Amino acid sequence: MTKDPYQILGVEKTATADELRTAYRTLAKRHHPDLNPGKPAAEEAFKAISVAYDLLSDPEKRARFDRGEIDAAGTEQPAERRYYRDFGDDPNRPKYRSDAAFDADDFDSVFGHMFGDHRHRGFSAGGEDAHYALAVSFLDAANGAVRRLTLPDGSTLDVTIPAGLKNGQILRLKGKGQAGQGDEPPGDALIEVSVAAHHLFRREGNDVVIELPISFKEAILGAKVAVPTIKGPVSLTIPPNSSTGRSLRLKGRGISGGNQRVELKIVLAPETDPDLDDFLKTWNPRQSFDPRAGMKVT
């Protein structure tokens, strides 16, 4: 028996669309097969989560489920059966009397209800859109890639990630949704993409920002160092006398023509250098400098 989709997503029946989306994203990230390789239970959970969200995120499907017209898998439920006796009597006359006979309009009403006029014409309808979620890495979103999406039924779909894609962006794959009925075309696949955080880079618009650790000597004397970028390492010149927080720009090294900002951070060695200690103990700076000037409370 298919579980209640509200229970699967862990939400109340009064949940808003935003609450559904938040619950779905949280669970999809936790159970996504790409993040849980070799764990069949996670894959099954992901399928159930996707099916539940596909149903509840569609207002029409959700309303039909709440009314009991479809089950949690979206399968049509048999309508309440109505019998000829429901149509045969006038409200003011007793039922089942021999003089309470049907007329032609009664038969049209009965069979029209039972067969919905499909006796006279073919039925066709366009396929519904299917909703999926896909998690990609920061670099895939920045540079573009092709990633395979595992669908709830176990089939797969290759998704092209365009360079510069943003977190939460929805990709539409035309004709990859639910099959249409009759001669009507299938629906589309709507794929909401979540971009994972990176341990080095963060995105600000089309700019990429990275914090670059530098040594005390590099900060004082300047140096040329290798800096990671989304396209690979490049050489960067650190100007002499650079403080923590100084920002340097690598033009065109961001996303879709943006820049990369390199924020410097002076990092001291974990162990003390005796020579440096001896020098600083006897060093008398020619210029007086108070790095805490201006911090007085007035």
Side-chain angles (χ1 to χ4, degrees), residues 154-177:
S155 61
T156 59
L157 186 64
D158 287 336
V159 181
T160 298
I161 306 300
L165 178 137
K166 297 179 180 178
N167 184 49
Q169 188 171 336
I170 295 178
L171 302 178
R172 179 182 291 271
L173 301 186
K174 192 170 181 61
K176 298 297 184 179

Side-chain angles (χ1 to χ4, degrees), residues 9-27 53 62:
L9 295 180
V11 297
E12 300 293 333
K13 289 191 175 182
T14 56
T16 64
D18 287 340
E19 289 171 337
L20 287 172
R21 188 179 303 107
T22 299
Y24 171 68
R25 288 179 178 176
T26 300
L27 293 172
Y53 182 68
R62 181 178 181 180

